[in-house]
Amino acid sequence: MAEPKPRTFKRVCFKLLETCIFASMGVIDNALRIIGPFFVLFAVTLISGVIWAWFKYILDTVADPGTPMRYVHITIACTLIFNVAWNYFRTVFVSPGQTPDEYDQNDIETGVVSKLDPGKFWDGFGRFCKKCRKPKPPRAHHCSICRKCVLKMDHHCPWVATCVGHRNYRTFYLFMFWLWTGCVYVMCTMGPAFLSNLHRKRGQRENGAVVFSFILAFSVSIAVGLLLSWHTYLIATAQTTIEWYNNHMFKQEARKRGTKWVNQWDIGIIANFALVLSTGDKPKNFIFWFLPSLDPPQGDGLSFPLRGHVLKEEEVPMAPLDLQPSNPMVVEGRTE
């Protein structure tokens, strides 16, 4: 029997580096889990400060007391405040959804499991969680911060101290929408006072409050606007942030083979938005998509409609992951 090769210095260094990386990731996960509530408190404080500054210094400048226009501005402001608060706290306190203990993968519909590797779904993600030691539903992923598998996980957001998944993705998206709308409204109504305060002497109380609130609203409108645009694109194309990375690799592999890759979760732009924003048993009119609701989102988070079940068979191009890869080292768009 051949003697085992001695460990080289390079392999020892690599193993040490790997151990340090995993240890650092564990420390970061624990830190985010601990400071999450402080992020929520900080966000609530900033939003409350802008609201206070607007009512204290701006309302009287945009409309005189007792005038109809004043009630219009108060109505708009209260509508924005209510929707921002409602969707934010619903996102924070409503569970994103996790794999139930009685989940059975034998109930998975045809077309979800990979034809090349039965241990994976068609999108290349594994069907079993090594951390939870139990099967995963389609589009579910394990969050190392929350320490559980989250249904249709998009990402872990420190500003809401939880994961964004199947059950709170709607309110997360609507929170961004109403917050961005509120920031634009604040900038429009606070703009003249902001410019006026720039020329006032230092030490005046409203100087700092108005200037800070306007700059904060401007900064948040850009950051949230970009994030809102990104998630609008994800909803329109039936992807999550995690899935986008895999899908990007699939598209590159398909382009190399001269084929077209198709996202099987994509059932059409309108249907994709209805699946995320509508609530209850049936999709509602799109006007209700942006209003508060206590009803749960569409579906159970364990199964999702497939493109092949919605479109005619001849309308669905063959996905490259169903073809024999030209490179034997490439399996479903992932390098093994």
Side-chain angles (χ1 to χ4, degrees):
M1 180 179 294
E3 296 183 1
K5 295 182 179 180
R7 286 189 174 184
T8 63
F9 178 75
K10 184 184 295 186
R11 297 173 75 180
V12 172
C13 291
F14 179 79
K15 187 64 177 179
L16 180 61
L17 178 62
E18 185 181 35
T19 302
C20 292
I21 291 176
F22 279 105
S24 301
M25 292 174 62
V27 172
I28 294 174
D29 289 344
N30 291 327
L32 288 175
R33 191 181 305 112
I34 295 172
I35 66 176
F38 295 98
F39 271 92
V40 174
L41 181 61
F42 184 59
V44 172
T45 302
L46 290 179
I47 295 174
S48 300
V50 174
I51 294 173
W52 172 81
W54 189 88
F55 276 98
K56 178 70 175 179
Y57 302 111
I58 304 303
L59 181 57
D60 289 337
T61 66
V62 295
D64 295 327
T67 60
M69 186 56 64
R70 186 181 182 88
Y71 294 110
V72 171
H73 279 289
I74 292 177
T75 302
I76 294 175
C78 290
T79 300
L80 292 171
I81 293 170
F82 176 78
N83 279 281
V84 168
W86 173 273
N87 288 292
Y88 183 71
F89 288 114
R90 289 280 294 177
T91 303
V92 172
F93 293 109
V94 173
S95 170
Q98 64 184 85
T99 306
D101 294 332
E102 64 275 9
Y103 175 69
D104 186 4
Q105 282 196 336
N106 294 326
D107 297 332
I108 293 180
E109 56 187 324
T110 305
V112 177
V113 179
S114 167
K115 294 181 180 180
L116 293 178
D117 187 352
K120 296 181 180 180
F121 294 110
W122 72 267
D123 54 10
F125 291 104
R127 300 176 59 192
F128 188 85
C129 179
K130 297 179 181 178
K131 297 293 181 67
C132 296
R133 296 186 179 277
K134 60 183 181 180
K136 287 194 307 182
R139 313 185 80 175
H141 302 282
H142 186 88
C143 176
S144 57
I145 300 175
C146 296
R147 296 177 177 176
K148 62 183 179 182
C149 283
V150 178
L151 300 180
K152 195 187 176 185
M153 178 180 173
D154 187 90
H155 68 289
H156 184 95
C157 180
W159 291 105
V160 296
T162 188
C163 278
V164 177
H166 171 69
R167 295 184 61 192
N168 63 355
Y169 185 70
R170 176 184 187 269
T171 53
F172 174 76
Y173 180 81
L174 292 182
F175 164 68
M176 292 189 296
F177 171 79
W178 287 109
L179 181 62
W180 178 81
T181 305
C183 288
V184 173
Y185 178 73
V186 167
M187 288 190 296
C188 291
T189 55
M190 195 177 282
F194 169 74
L195 296 176
S196 175
N197 276 313
L198 289 180
H199 302 287
R200 291 187 180 184
K201 296 180 180 180
R202 294 183 179 181
Q204 294 185 1
R205 188 176 181 182
E206 63 268 26
N207 188 311
V210 173
V211 171
F212 175 79
S213 297
F214 183 89
I215 294 176
L216 178 62
F218 176 75
S219 304
V220 172
S221 68
I222 295 178
V224 174
L226 292 174
L227 190 60
L228 178 64
S229 300
W230 168 246
H231 281 277
T232 300
Y233 162 75
L234 291 178
I235 294 176
T237 55
Q239 303 179 86
T240 64
T241 300
I242 295 176
E243 292 169 350
W244 180 84
Y245 291 101
N246 248 28
N247 295 347
H248 183 66
M249 291 189 293
F250 288 163
K251 291 179 182 179
Q252 289 181 329
E253 289 298 324
R255 194 177 297 112
K256 293 177 181 178
R257 301 171 189 160
T259 58
K260 182 180 180 181
W261 179 82
V262 174
N263 179 9
Q264 295 296 337
W265 304 127
D266 187 358
I267 57 177
I269 294 179
I270 301 300
N272 292 338
F273 272 98
L275 195 63
V276 172
L277 298 181
S278 62
T279 57
D281 297 332
K282 296 181 180 180
K284 300 178 181 179
N285 187 292
F286 75 92
I287 296 177
F288 294 94
W289 292 355
F290 296 89
L291 299 181
S293 176
L294 287 171
D295 293 329
Q298 291 287 314
D300 56 5
L302 302 176
S303 62
F304 302 89
L306 291 173
R307 183 182 182 92
H309 295 176
V310 177
L311 302 179
K312 297 179 181 179
E313 185 175 355
E314 58 270 17
E315 294 178 319
V316 184
M318 182 70 72
L321 54 91
D322 288 331
L323 302 178
Q324 184 64 34
S326 57
N327 184 351
M329 295 300 292
V330 176
V331 180
E332 298 203 305
R334 306 184 74 179
T335 305
E336 301 293 342

